[in-house]
């Protein structure tokens, strides 16, 4: 089975595809469907996970002995093995337009995972985050700023990391837990804050303007449909357009007060979490 993982503005797509005698190998597809293998045939598996607009790709490849190494492939498919942090494995997840890389790696003792940042000038630098689940490293912008989640007092906490400043926790406001998904080139970040029970609990989608206090996106909506709750900011571009998770599904938030002619449907209300086949359900929709 082939799998696509990322696409750039030129329409180049990276991922993996089956290969003889091994599990799969990293490849790139162009708009015509031409397949370019990335790097030499791996020991058993390689995969490309990100690509920038210069056609430089990142991912991982395994090596004899079982280690997984973070990997960079240039536009021609030539490989640079950027290695590990001393542990058994590392995976490059993101690449920016300066060909800087961010990903995750085993610590030297192989007892935890750490984020990492890599550049041709500085090599691989550990980001001292821990825990963090699937968003230990969540995004990388073109200024080399990395965001992700770390664990503080058994709760997830969103962070911003730079080579100069190191890891800085994002302000919580009145929240008790934070989660970050994306960062743009203006250092605007989006994610979620969990509110305390005294404020009704639950998750609220937020935007951090740099290291300032989080702004609840629900307070910024113009003529929002009744009952709509934004629960997490998922992505933000350089124009400030935000993709967000809500109780009505994914929504697109544009700056200003002018929308489109598309119909706006409010959230469906009254649906239980689990519905049995044949069960009668009464619901309403705005």
């Amino acid at each position: 089975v082939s799998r696509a993982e990322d696409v750039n503005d030129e329409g180049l797509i990276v991922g993996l595809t089956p290969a003889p005698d091994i599990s799969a190998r990293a490849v790139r597809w162009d708009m015509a469907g031409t397949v370019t293998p990335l790097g030499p045939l791996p020991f058993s598996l390689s995969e490309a996970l990100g690509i920038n607009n210069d056609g430089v790709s990142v991912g991982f490849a395994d090596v004899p002995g079982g280690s997984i190494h973070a990997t960079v492939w240039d536009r021609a498919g030539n490989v640079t093995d950027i290695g590990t942090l001393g542990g058994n494995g590392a995976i490059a997840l993101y690449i920016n337009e300066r060909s800087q890389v961010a990903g995750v790696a085993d610590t030297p003792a192989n007892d935890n995972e750490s984020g990492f940042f890599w550049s041709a000038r500085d090599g691989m630098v550990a980001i001292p985050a821990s825990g963090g689940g699937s968003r230990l490293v969540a995004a990388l912008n073109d200024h080399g700023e990395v965001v992700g989640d770390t664990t503080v007092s058994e709760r997830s906490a969103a962070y911003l990391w730079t080579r100069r400043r190191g890891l800085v926790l994002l302000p919580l406001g009145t929240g008790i837990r934070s989660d970050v998904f994306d960062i743009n080139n203006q250092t605007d970040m989006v994610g979620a804050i969990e509110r305390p029970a005294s404020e009704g609990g639950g998750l609220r989608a937020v935007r951090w303007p740099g290291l300032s206090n989080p702004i609840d996106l629900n307070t910024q909506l113009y003529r929002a449909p009744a009952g709509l709750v934004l629960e997490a900011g998922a992505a933000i571009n350089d124009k400030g357009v935000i993709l967000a998770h809500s109780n009505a599904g994914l929504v697109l938030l544009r700056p200003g007060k002018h929308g489109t002619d598309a119909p706006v449907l409010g959230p469906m209300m009254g649906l239980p979490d689990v519905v049995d086949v044949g069960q009668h359900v009464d619901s309403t929709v705005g």
Side-chain angles (χ1 to χ4, degrees):
V1 176
S2 297
R3 183 167 63 239
E5 293 287 355
D6 196 18
V7 60
N8 70 5
D9 292 346
E10 195 179 330
L12 297 176
I13 299 168
V14 292
L16 60 74
T17 197
D21 302 321
I22 64 170
S23 298
R25 71 178 306 178
V27 295
R28 186 181 70 231
W29 295 270
D30 65 17
M31 293 285 283
T34 303
V35 179
T36 299
L38 299 177
L41 199 67
F43 180 67
S44 65
L45 176 66
S46 61
E47 182 172 7
L49 299 170
I51 184 170
N52 68 11
N53 289 324
D54 289 332
V56 183
S57 309
V58 296
F60 68 89
D62 64 355
V63 298
S67 292
I68 294 174
H69 287 197
T71 304
V72 177
W73 297 276
D74 66 17
R75 189 179 182 93
N78 299 311
V79 64
T80 298
D81 182 342
I82 63 176
T84 71
L85 288 172
N88 285 337
I91 299 174
L93 299 171
Y94 305 103
I95 182 168
N96 64 18
E97 298 309 317
R98 298 166 63 184
S99 292
Q100 297 169 327
V101 177
V104 295
D106 294 326
T107 56
N110 293 306
D111 57 355
N112 207 338
E113 279 192 325
S114 171
F116 75 81
F117 173 83
W118 178 91
S119 68
R121 185 188 70 178
D122 296 329
M124 188 179 284
V125 178
I127 297 173
S130 62
S134 61
R135 281 183 293 281
L136 182 65
V137 172
L140 164 72
N141 70 11
D142 292 337
H143 303 302
E145 296 174 316
V146 178
V147 293
D149 292 344
T150 187
T151 299
V152 177
S153 300
E154 299 184 354
R155 291 183 178 270
S156 68
Y159 71 81
L160 170 66
W161 179 92
T162 65
R163 188 77 173 90
R164 177 179 62 85
R165 190 166 41 201
L167 188 148
V168 179
L169 297 180
L170 298 183
L172 270 174
T174 60
I176 58 175
R177 180 175 69 84
S178 58
D179 190 359
V180 65
F181 285 72
D182 198 17
I183 182 171
N184 67 12
N185 288 323
Q186 281 72 52
T187 319
D188 286 323
M189 294 157 280
V190 291
I193 292 288
E194 181 180 346
R195 302 188 304 175
S198 61
E199 297 181 10
L203 295 175
R204 289 295 184 271
V206 296
R207 175 176 67 88
W208 286 274
L211 293 175
S212 299
N213 280 324
I215 298 169
D216 185 341
L217 293 176
N218 291 278
T219 67
Q220 308 296 299
L221 299 179
Y222 176 66
R223 297 174 61 188
L228 179 68
V229 178
L230 305 180
E231 297 166 336
I236 183 169
N237 69 11
D238 288 341
K239 294 182 179 180
V241 178
I242 296 171
L243 182 69
H245 297 284
S246 80
N247 61 346
L250 287 173
V251 295
L252 191 67
L253 310 176
R254 295 184 178 92
K257 296 183 178 180
H258 298 284
T260 69
D261 293 330
V264 177
L265 186 66
M268 297 185 70
M269 308 295 288
L271 288 176
D273 291 336
V274 178
V275 179
D276 295 327
V277 175
Q279 177 184 348
H280 180 83
V281 176
D282 290 315
S283 63
T284 59
V285 64

